[in-house]
Amino acid sequence: MQLVKPCLQYRQSYLQYIAELEDEERYPFPLDFDCDDFEAMLQKNQDFADGVNLPQGYVASETYWLVNAGELLGVANLRLSLNETIRHCGGHVGLGIRPSFRGEGLGIELLGQTIAVAKLKGMKELHIHCYKANLASAKMIIANGGILHSEIELEDDNAAAIIQRYRVLI
């Protein structure tokens, strides 16, 4: 398994991944980019990596795909810096595993490889957040050296949720 930057080679597998997600909330956020024009979607990912054409409130971030034998298994997004809003709730890393590959420990692998990339970029500490109710994400973060730093409560129109904020020293 390896991390690759988004590229045309995995177009078909990416589109299958998106189809598998159906109406599920997509993590990380670049999975929400319109992929009808696949090359434009790739360029948008590159723009985020380069820190150009970013929407208000966003920071530069790099997207990586976890692939094995030509199949896209998961997606990670590494924010290269944090603004105050993202530091409060969001953190450096967002990731998701393709539904048909969940429960196989791939989240641990994907996060571990993403942390290795951050280390190569000279990052010393990562903030990684997850919903408290998402036990699989919490276990994945802890398995990669995450230490619970704090919890915050978020409220929206529907309900309240507790976000756990972890730190990983690298």
Side-chain angles (χ1 to χ4, degrees):
M1 276 179 266
Q2 64 178 346
L3 285 187
V4 299
K5 294 272 192 149
C7 61
L8 201 54
Q9 176 183 351
Y10 298 100
R11 180 183 185 275
Q12 189 62 36
S13 188
Y14 182 87
L15 295 175
Q16 291 167 346
Y17 186 140
I18 294 298
E20 274 186 46
L21 290 170
E22 297 177 334
D23 293 332
E24 182 178 312
E25 188 169 357
R26 297 177 184 176
Y27 292 103
F29 76 89
L31 289 173
D32 285 328
F33 295 168
D34 182 5
C35 59
D36 289 338
D37 181 342
F38 199 78
E39 290 182 8
M41 185 269 301
L42 293 175
Q43 184 58 55
K44 189 168 186 172
N45 274 287
Q46 188 59 53
D47 285 353
F48 267 80
D50 295 338
V52 299
N53 301 319
L54 300 180
Q56 182 76 22
Y58 284 76
V59 296
S61 63
E62 296 179 346
T63 297
Y64 296 95
W65 293 349
L66 182 68
V67 298
N68 188 43
E71 197 74 26
L72 177 55
L73 310 177
V75 178
N77 183 263
L78 174 65
R79 292 183 180 103
L80 304 176
S81 65
L82 301 178
N83 60 30
E84 283 307 310
T85 300
I86 298 169
R87 183 180 315 283
H88 178 70
C89 185
H92 284 100
V93 179
L95 60 82
I97 298 297
R98 187 172 175 166
S100 58
F101 290 94
R102 291 179 185 159
E104 299 178 22
L106 295 175
I108 293 171
E109 177 71 23
L110 177 55
L111 181 55
Q113 288 196 35
T114 304
I115 290 169
V117 168
K119 185 174 183 175
L120 289 172
K121 294 185 169 297
M123 299 173 82
K124 305 289 185 207
E125 177 180 68
L126 296 179
H127 296 252
I128 306 174
H129 304 167
C130 70
Y131 289 103
K132 184 174 186 171
N134 189 340
L135 298 177
S137 287
K139 288 178 182 179
M140 170 195 64
I141 296 166
I142 292 166
N144 278 285
I147 304 295
L148 182 62
H149 173 262
S150 60
E151 293 182 347
I152 58 170
E153 187 171 337
L154 294 182
E155 292 189 39
D156 63 20
D157 296 337
N158 301 320
I162 295 175
I163 302 293
Q164 292 183 317
R165 302 187 303 179
Y166 291 84
R167 287 190 176 155
V168 177
L169 299 176
I170 51 178

